[in-house]
Amino acid sequence: MTDKIDLSIYALQKAYAEGSLTPEAVIDYIQQQTLRHQDNPIWIYQLSKQEIQPYLDAPKDRSPDELPLYGIPFAIKDNIDLAGIPTTAACKAYEYVPTESAFVVQQLIDAGAIPIGKTNLDQFATGLVGTRSPYGAVANAFNSDYVSGGSSSGSSVAVALGLVSFSLGTDTAGSGRVPAAFNNLIGLKPSRGLWSNRGVIPACLTLDCVTVFAFNPDDAEAVHTVAATFDREDAYSRHVQNKTPIKKQFRFGVPKKENLKFFGNGDTEALFYNSLERLKDIGGEAIEIDMQPFLDAAKLLYEGPWVAERYAAIEEFMQTHVDELYPTTRAIIEPAINATAVSAFKSQYKLQAYKRICDEILESVDLVVTPTAGTIYTIAEVNENPIQLNSNLGYYTNFMNLLDYSAIAVPAGMQSNGLPAGVTFFAPAFCDLALLGYAKCYCQNLDISMGNTGFDWQPSAEVKANPDMVNIVVCGAHLSDLPLNYQLTERNAQLISQTSTAPKYRLYALPDGKRPGMLRDEQHGAAIEVEVWQIPMEHYGSFVNGIPAPLGIGTVELSDGTMAQGFVCEHYAIQGAKEITELGGWRRYISD
């Protein structure tokens, strides 16, 4: 096979549906293409065809329509576990072989995705450059003299060179965003806790996020839909708490000029301002904001006691194998042993004060736009000055997880030297889908290829924003023609579709006999009949406020894989309730 294959998720799904490609053919193609980039240390471990075969065989008894990531190849940063494959965190002496995959990896595999290998990284996910690995410095996908960005270096370059459809990275200080900017990709950093960290070697356990690198926002959203699953065994896992719709007319924050740094790079500065004009073209109004509180908060990450979390993550290893660490990694982590509880609390107080100020600033806008990184450096430059130049690359990123925000990095265009640059959209936690929506609108008319593949992004569907309405999924007495439906119609809600959930739910008739309770159950669930109604935003609050316990509004996965806000039930309420899952819906139950 010599013809290039567009590995974007939508393109592969289309090719599979048409019968022009099979997952086996795609894997053969990828293994051939990988040979062309052997000089670039992208991979720490590549699965053989024999090791990949079980993942090809597993979904054969299921329809591709049931598996949202059927046959989609992906890479895994090597601080994230894949069962039976070594995890090293780019430190050979730390290597172990997990018996289970990380929770998020297993979610993707269960959705039909195929792991290809484990990628190189800045050791123990400490760095934004991609040069801090004993396995070698991963070179930029466009120019091998330049850094790829870290710590998720191999993950980003694997996508940019067309060796996988998407990849998993991690992001504590910017590692899911800086590599995206340097390699012309989308980098989605979800809200903390939306993607489980179980099975991930921590950098800073309280801040870490698993992330995705993708060719376009559609692909990032497809992965997010699968990966954003609550994990009861991860103490930091969080449910989606709300859904903010995108708006046709929106306000975006822009840092004051004195807050901006481009480190002498006129190209990235020009591309940043071009991106602001593009946002205005799609309905945005620029609002100048003071970024200084955000930047002050960012300093706490490495100048404060949070570095001690990096020490805590590998404390035993540090005590017995400290000489095995990459020199720069050791220089950053080892001094943290002297951090005190007093300094930790004092820094927490400072951070909380910054967060109050920053949250108030965000209330005035729908999102904020910054450069992802002010400039880019050669590998030689970083090796000459590893600490300061790495710090420069984190100027716009280090505050994000400290302040608990969601973010997405998007391409901004190409510099005169042929290297990509990017910008980042960020907003409060749980605005992930809204940011993806703005990213889609922004990228639709962006004349730029996907990574360095030569393929252009073809949107899978037109992006439509409805600023005044919100969708809500109903499964019981609010269904059409049932007793409580009037609570929707009197608020001018409109029926959008009659559909069903993904086959991941159980339904119970609550003891009062008037309402059902729907619970998510990945292992024993079924598809439940539901309706999607669109309700005016101005009436949404009063509708939700009228919902009595034990019912509430949460995130419901529909049969097509999309997520929407809808009725869910607290677990305690099923005690004494009658399970009616096998009936497939509330209508069938009340008609029997």
Side-chain angles (χ1 to χ4, degrees), residues 447-517:
D447 184 19
I448 198 166
S449 65
M450 300 187 300
N452 194 19
T453 65
F455 289 105
D456 295 327
W457 174 43
Q458 300 297 324
S460 59
E462 180 184 357
V463 180
K464 295 181 179 180
N466 191 332
D468 304 317
M469 308 290 280
V470 61
N471 289 350
I472 187 165
V473 178
V474 300
C475 62
H478 288 91
L479 292 166
S480 302
D481 302 321
L482 294 189
L484 296 183
N485 184 249
Y486 77 92
Q487 294 181 355
L488 289 167
T489 57
E490 72 179 8
R491 290 174 169 83
N492 298 318
Q494 298 177 342
L495 178 63
I496 299 301
S497 66
Q498 294 177 319
T499 182
S500 63
T501 68
K504 300 178 181 180
Y505 293 88
R506 298 172 77 172
L507 194 66
Y508 296 83
L510 298 182
D512 64 10
K514 299 177 181 179
R515 301 170 297 166

Side-chain angles (χ1 to χ4, degrees), residues 245-247 250 282 366-367 425 434-442:
I246 66 171
K247 302 177 180 179
F250 60 94
I282 64 171
D366 297 294
L367 68 153
F425 305 159
L435 290 178
L436 278 162
Y438 289 118
K440 289 182 187 181
C441 294
Y442 168 92

Side-chain angles (χ1 to χ4, degrees), residues 68-336:
L69 297 177
Y70 173 83
I72 305 299
F74 73 108
I76 304 166
K77 185 175 179 178
D78 197 27
N79 60 340
I80 305 173
D81 288 346
L82 175 64
I85 302 299
T87 300
T88 71
C91 182
K92 181 68 176 176
Y94 188 83
E95 179 181 309
Y96 64 91
V97 179
T99 57
E100 295 183 355
S101 294
F103 181 87
V104 67
V105 170
Q106 193 59 54
Q107 295 295 116
L108 297 168
I109 291 171
D110 290 345
I114 301 171
I116 300 300
K118 306 293 291 296
T119 55
N120 201 354
L121 65 150
D122 281 333
Q123 191 178 73
F124 290 111
T126 302
L128 290 171
V129 286
T131 64
R132 300 173 177 176
S133 170
Y135 292 89
V138 179
N140 188 282
F142 289 80
N143 185 327
S144 60
D145 290 335
Y146 283 80
V147 297
S148 54
S151 59
S152 310
S153 52
S155 288
S156 61
V157 174
V159 179
L161 292 177
L163 305 181
V164 287
S165 299
F166 70 90
S167 65
L168 297 182
T170 60
D171 188 311
T172 305
S175 300
R177 291 162 279 152
V178 171
F182 291 173
N183 294 284
N184 199 36
L185 298 171
I186 299 294
L188 174 65
K189 187 211 76 65
S191 302
R192 283 184 352 214
L194 284 194
W195 293 25
S196 171
N197 283 322
R198 183 156 57 94
V200 180
I201 297 171
C204 293
L205 185 60
T206 61
L207 303 179
D208 295 338
C209 297
V210 179
T211 68
V212 61
F213 296 103
F215 290 120
N216 56 64
D218 284 334
D219 287 5
E221 184 175 43
V223 176
H224 178 69
T225 299
V226 172
T229 301
F230 181 73
D231 178 9
R232 285 182 172 81
E233 296 184 44
D234 176 3
Y236 290 93
S237 186
R238 297 195 289 185
H239 290 287
V240 174
Q241 295 182 15
N242 70 314
K243 178 179 178 181
T244 305
I246 66 171
K247 302 177 180 179
K248 289 182 179 178
Q249 305 297 323
F250 60 94
R251 294 157 61 91
F252 63 92
V254 179
K256 290 181 177 180
K257 192 169 184 179
E258 57 263 34
N259 298 147
L260 291 166
K261 285 188 179 182
F262 296 95
F263 308 98
N265 190 327
D267 284 349
T268 54
E269 182 175 9
L271 289 169
F272 172 67
Y273 285 108
N274 287 346
S275 296
L276 303 185
E277 294 305 311
R278 187 173 296 112
L279 284 167
K280 293 176 185 177
D281 290 342
I282 64 171
E285 175 189 0
I287 306 296
E288 188 176 73
I289 64 170
D290 183 6
M291 284 289 295
Q292 195 57 49
F294 300 83
L295 301 174
D296 290 340
K299 295 175 184 177
L300 294 172
L301 188 62
Y302 283 104
E303 296 177 15
W306 272 272
V307 180
E309 274 207 272
R310 294 182 182 270
Y311 186 92
I314 55 172
E315 180 180 15
E316 183 178 347
F317 185 81
M318 290 284 293
Q319 292 171 347
T320 57
H321 295 81
V322 70
D323 291 336
E324 302 287 347
L325 265 65
Y326 193 78
T328 306
T329 307
R330 178 177 178 176
I332 292 168
I333 298 177
E334 192 171 30

